[in-house]
């Protein structure tokens, strides 16, 4: 059956969706009162205070842990000297960012430069002076944190020489609160705050506080931005007009007997851009920008996003191929975006400013290069497959289980929603981020076994049987010694993430099993509230095939390579796709190999084959199968 016909069958299928889960009752209203009280005390309109706090933290307390920009509490008061005491680098996996075994791997990059305590990363000091509260209290006590934020806003307003209780007259103070040094980023932050005020928000926070910002039409005085003396954007970056974005070029040149740190290309004319890869930097902003400029750095990426204010720097043009994902096939067909932050270190969380800037950039890039806004094409570095069996365990695992994919896809305008029901044969993973808090370990030092600070997560843990105390699944690629999967924060061998889709394998009471790395993986799914009913296309081995290989890249057949271009071996990975199993189809994957192993571009060649591959969600990472090995079916015809 042809895929087009199958898609038509899926489109016309009429299946009732399950009822929505009930919303839990809010647990407290103290935070709402804290905003009201602080606004009165410091003369800040409550709507402005609520709007700024929502943009900083979505009113969450984050259990007193700092953000990746060293910000604490609902108002994101920054204290970099405390947040980074004891070190700021959480070591990720090793491996080769280029991911092309046709070229020798270069030496790994040096550790990132430690962050310095610039004023925008140390606002807790001024807040302490203005409120009389000590810094430890301002960091840990949400009500005092809100007082500190209100005091800062009042100070910024006073510095502008404006005395008004009209929210429209607070645009300049709000823009300054962003901490940005460029006018576009500061304006973007302020515009988001006033858009939030206009639209209104009603939310239960991560610690059970019910907070409401009633909608109110406000036309802010945007002319105040000019009084802040901020710089404009450095020219040259490929970014949407409403995004603060500079061109900070990656190093590119020859050294010794090689070159770095990316390859020139001609995309999308030469190769379609199919993926956008989400990374985190595992280092601070200044060090990241310093490293990308070095030609001997064996890694590169297209964009970096600053955590404190969402400012963007572009380093590699979209037409060129960055060395970012550890898989040359994915690199040659993707754009990589690094987000200042840490996948797990010390429980740090990603800021709202970072999420919003990233979503604006991704929407722009996805529209320009026709990349679908789904989890088959907007992927984490942790979803990129290894290229050969020995390299699977060296692949990175960022942005990690604390990246909020649900919120991110809401901001992208492509929310994660049910598209089927319990009989349609597929699920889309979507736990409640705030209340879903897996018991991870090793957030300070991977593998130390110490419990992580409880925190919301988009990760769902899989078990071998439908019970919480059952063992985790095995991942032969991650645990090459045959050892068990663990709850270490970096070990995703038995873990699924928000937005990913899987074929249903079984059902038992409130438990659902999916096909995952050749095994049945069970997760707790009461009322289908964690694995939402979904409908789409799945693949299964053709009759007569007991097992079929899965691959980490989709390279052409040997006959497609021209003279002078070495044939690239296509080694199956160490996993088994057996008869009777089903995996969700992500889409076609063209057979391509970009031959680029020299500084001079005339020898660069895109080899295109006739073999047809398909991308599937095989485990935590996407993988590829030869289309000739499988049949494609609507998921509801293969339901459990």
């Amino acid at each position: 059956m042809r895929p087009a016909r199958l898609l038509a069958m899926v489109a016309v299928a009429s299946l009732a969706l399950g009822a929505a889960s009930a919303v839990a009752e809010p647990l407290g209203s103290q935070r709402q009162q804290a905003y009201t009280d602080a606004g009165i005390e410091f003369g800040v309109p409550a709507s402005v205070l609520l709007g700024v706090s929502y943009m900083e933290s979505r009113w969450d307390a984050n259990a007193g842990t700092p953000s990746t920009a060293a910000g604490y509490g609902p108002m994101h008061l920054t204290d970099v000297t405390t947040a980074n005491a004891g070190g700021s680098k959480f070591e990720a996996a090793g491996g080769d960012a280029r991911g092309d075994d046709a070229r020798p791997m270069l030496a790994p990059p040096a550790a990132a430069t430690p962050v310095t305590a610039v004023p925008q990363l140390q606002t807790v000091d001024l807040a302490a002076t203005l409120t009389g509260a000590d810094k430890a209290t301002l960091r840990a006590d949400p009500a005092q944190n809100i007082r500190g934020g209100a005091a800062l806003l009042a100070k910024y307003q006073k510095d502008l020489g404006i005395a008004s209780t009209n929210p429209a007259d607070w645009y300049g103070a709000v823009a300054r609160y962003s901490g940005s040094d460029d006018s576009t980023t500061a304006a973007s932050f302020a515009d988001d705050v006033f858009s939030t005020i206009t639209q209104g928000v009603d939310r239960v926070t991560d610690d059970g506080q019910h907070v409401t910002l009633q909608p109110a039409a406000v036309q802010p005085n945007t002319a105040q931005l000019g009084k802040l003396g901020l710089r404009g954007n450095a020219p040259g970056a490929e970014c949407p007009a409403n995004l603060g974005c500079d061109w900070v070029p990656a190093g590119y040149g020859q050294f010794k007997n090689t070159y770095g740190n990316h390859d020139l290309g001609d995309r999308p004319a030469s190769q379609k851009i199919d993926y956008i890869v989400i990374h985190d930097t595992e280092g601070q902003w200044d060090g990241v920008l310093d490293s990308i400029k070095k030609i001997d750095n064996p890694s590169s990426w297209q964009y970096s996003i600053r955590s404190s204010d969402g400012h963007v720097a572009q380093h590699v043009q979209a037409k060129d191929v960055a060395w970012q994902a550890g898989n040359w096939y994915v690199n040659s067909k993707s754009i990589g975006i690094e987000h200042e932050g840490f996948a797990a270190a010390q429980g740090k969380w990603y800021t709202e400013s970072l999420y919003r800037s990233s979503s604006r950039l991704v929407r722009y890039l996805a529209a320009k290069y026709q990349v679908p806004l789904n989890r088959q094409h907007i992927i984490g570095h942790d979803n990129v497959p290894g290229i050969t069996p020995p390299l699977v365990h060296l692949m990175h695992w960022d942005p990690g289980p604390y990246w909020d994919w649900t919120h991110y896809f809401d901001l992208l305008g492509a929310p994660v929603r049910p598209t089927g029901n319990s009989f349609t044969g597929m699920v889309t993973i979507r736990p409640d981020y705030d209340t879903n808090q897996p018991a991870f370990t090793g957030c300070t030092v991977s593998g130390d076994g110490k419990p992580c600070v409880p925190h919301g997560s988009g990760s769902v843990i899989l078990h071998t049987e439908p019970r919480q105390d059952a063992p985790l699944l095995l991942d032969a690629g991650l645990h090459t010694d045959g050892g068990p999967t663990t709850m270490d924060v970096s070990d995703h061998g038995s873990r699924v993430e928000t937005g990913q889709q899987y074929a249903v394998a079984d059902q038992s009471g409130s438990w659902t099993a999916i096909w995952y790395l050749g095994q049945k993986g069970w997760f707790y799914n009461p009322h289908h509230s964690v694995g939402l009913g979904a409908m789409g296309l799945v693949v299964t081995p053709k009759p007569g095939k007991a097992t079929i290989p899965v691959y980490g890249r989709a390279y052409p057949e040997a006959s497609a390579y021209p003279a002078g271009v070495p044939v690239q071996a296509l080694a199956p990975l160490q996993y088994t796709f057996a008869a009777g199993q089903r995996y969700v189809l992500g889409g076609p994957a063209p057979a391509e190999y970009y031959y680029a192993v020299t500084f001079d571009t005339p020898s660069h060649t895109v080899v295109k084959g006739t073999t047809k591959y398909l991308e599937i969600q095989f485990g935590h990472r996407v993988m590829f199968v030869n289309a000739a090995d499988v049949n494609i079916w609507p998921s509801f015809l293969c339901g459990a």
Side-chain angles (χ1 to χ4, degrees), residues 263-275:
D263 281 290
L264 303 184
D266 188 28
R267 305 183 307 173
S270 59
Q271 288 184 282
K272 185 180 182 304
I273 295 171
D274 284 329
Y275 304 99

Side-chain angles (χ1 to χ4, degrees), residues 2-142:
R2 297 188 178 188
R5 184 179 174 191
L6 294 175
L7 285 169
M9 292 175 65
V10 171
V12 301
S14 177
L15 295 162
L17 300 181
S21 300
V23 177
E25 287 296 320
L27 300 178
S29 58
Q30 297 95 328
R31 191 151 309 152
Q32 183 85 52
Q33 189 62 45
Y35 288 112
T36 300
D37 293 345
I40 293 172
E41 180 181 1
F42 294 98
V44 182
S47 61
V48 171
L49 190 57
L50 283 161
V52 168
S53 183
Y54 185 84
M55 266 303 298
E56 292 287 7
S57 68
R58 298 176 74 212
W59 305 325
D60 287 339
N62 286 288
T65 58
S67 76
T68 57
Y72 291 82
M75 295 302 299
H76 198 255
L77 300 181
T78 55
D79 188 355
V80 71
T81 58
T82 297
N84 290 313
S88 63
K89 176 109 176 122
F90 186 90
E91 294 296 336
D96 177 7
R98 196 174 196 274
D100 178 17
D101 44 7
R103 177 186 162 155
M105 186 176 77
L106 299 178
T113 304
V115 71
T116 53
V118 294
Q120 61 265 34
L121 294 181
Q122 203 62 38
T123 59
V124 72
D125 294 345
L126 179 56
T129 300
L130 295 171
T131 62
D134 64 80
K135 292 191 290 185
T137 300
L138 287 167
R139 291 192 301 265
D141 185 325

Side-chain angles (χ1 to χ4, degrees), residues 259-499:
Y259 69 96
N261 60 16
H262 58 279
D263 281 290
L264 303 184
D266 188 28
R267 305 183 307 173
S270 59
Q271 288 184 282
K272 185 180 182 304
I273 295 171
D274 284 329
Y275 304 99
I276 298 174
V277 183
I278 305 299
H279 303 256
D280 75 55
T281 60
E282 297 299 324
Q284 302 285 2
W285 185 255
D286 292 344
V288 169
L289 263 58
D290 180 60
S291 69
I292 191 69
K293 298 172 185 176
K294 299 176 180 178
I295 63 173
D296 60 347
N297 186 349
S299 63
S300 58
W301 51 94
Q302 269 80 14
Y303 296 90
S304 298
I305 303 181
R306 189 163 60 201
S307 180
S308 60
D309 58 1
H311 183 71
V312 177
Q314 185 180 8
H315 315 295
V316 176
Q317 292 183 313
K319 72 179 184 65
D320 298 329
V321 180
W323 304 349
Q324 41 110 5
N327 182 315
W328 187 242
Y329 179 81
V330 174
N331 281 347
S332 66
K333 299 180 67 61
S334 70
I335 289 173
I337 304 176
E338 289 277 1
H339 299 76
E340 184 188 13
F342 305 84
Q346 302 164 0
K348 293 175 181 176
W349 44 280
Y350 298 99
T351 66
E352 183 67 7
S353 295
L354 180 141
Y355 278 127
R356 296 222 173 194
S357 289
S358 180
S359 66
R360 286 192 176 97
L361 178 61
V362 169
R363 285 201 308 269
Y364 165 82
L365 295 171
K368 184 174 183 179
Y369 298 108
Q370 298 181 326
V371 179
L373 291 175
N374 59 41
R375 289 287 275 117
Q376 287 85 7
H377 298 87
I378 311 299
I379 58 177
H381 195 178
D382 56 339
N383 306 134
V384 177
I387 57 174
T388 60
L391 298 177
V392 169
H393 76 285
L394 293 176
M395 294 296 289
H396 288 215
W397 55 276
D398 54 304
Y402 299 130
W403 181 266
D404 191 346
W405 288 105
T406 299
H407 182 51
Y408 192 57
F409 269 80
D410 285 345
L411 294 173
L412 287 174
V416 179
R417 292 174 175 165
T419 57
N421 60 28
S422 59
F423 302 102
T424 50
M426 274 173 52
V427 290
T428 301
I429 304 301
R430 194 195 68 183
D432 179 82
Y433 181 89
D434 289 328
T435 60
N436 179 55
Q437 299 185 356
F440 292 125
T441 62
C443 282
T444 302
V445 178
S446 182
D448 68 0
K450 294 181 179 178
C452 298
V453 174
H455 197 281
S457 172
S459 296
V460 174
I461 308 303
L462 301 177
H463 297 269
T464 55
E465 298 179 44
R467 51 187 177 85
Q468 294 288 2
D469 61 348
L472 305 181
L473 303 184
L474 300 178
D475 188 330
L478 285 183
H479 298 280
T480 56
D481 60 357
T485 303
T486 71
M487 286 299 292
D488 187 88
V489 70
S490 67
D491 189 345
H492 54 68
S494 188
R495 184 187 305 171
V496 292
E497 290 289 334
T498 295

Side-chain angles (χ1 to χ4, degrees), residues 580-602:
Q581 298 177 5
R582 302 178 297 279
Y583 295 92
V584 171
L585 174 65
E592 294 178 354
Y593 170 64
Y594 183 37
Y595 179 65
V597 297
T598 61
F599 181 75
D600 297 323
T601 59

Side-chain angles (χ1 to χ4, degrees), residues 493-523:
S494 188
R495 184 187 305 171
V496 292
E497 290 289 334
T498 295
Q500 292 181 324
Q501 294 184 314
Y502 296 89
V504 174
D506 209 343
Q507 194 78 35
S508 178
S510 294
W511 288 77
T512 298
I514 58 173
W515 291 112
Y516 185 96
L517 296 179
Q519 306 159 79
K520 281 187 179 182
W522 291 89
F523 66 97

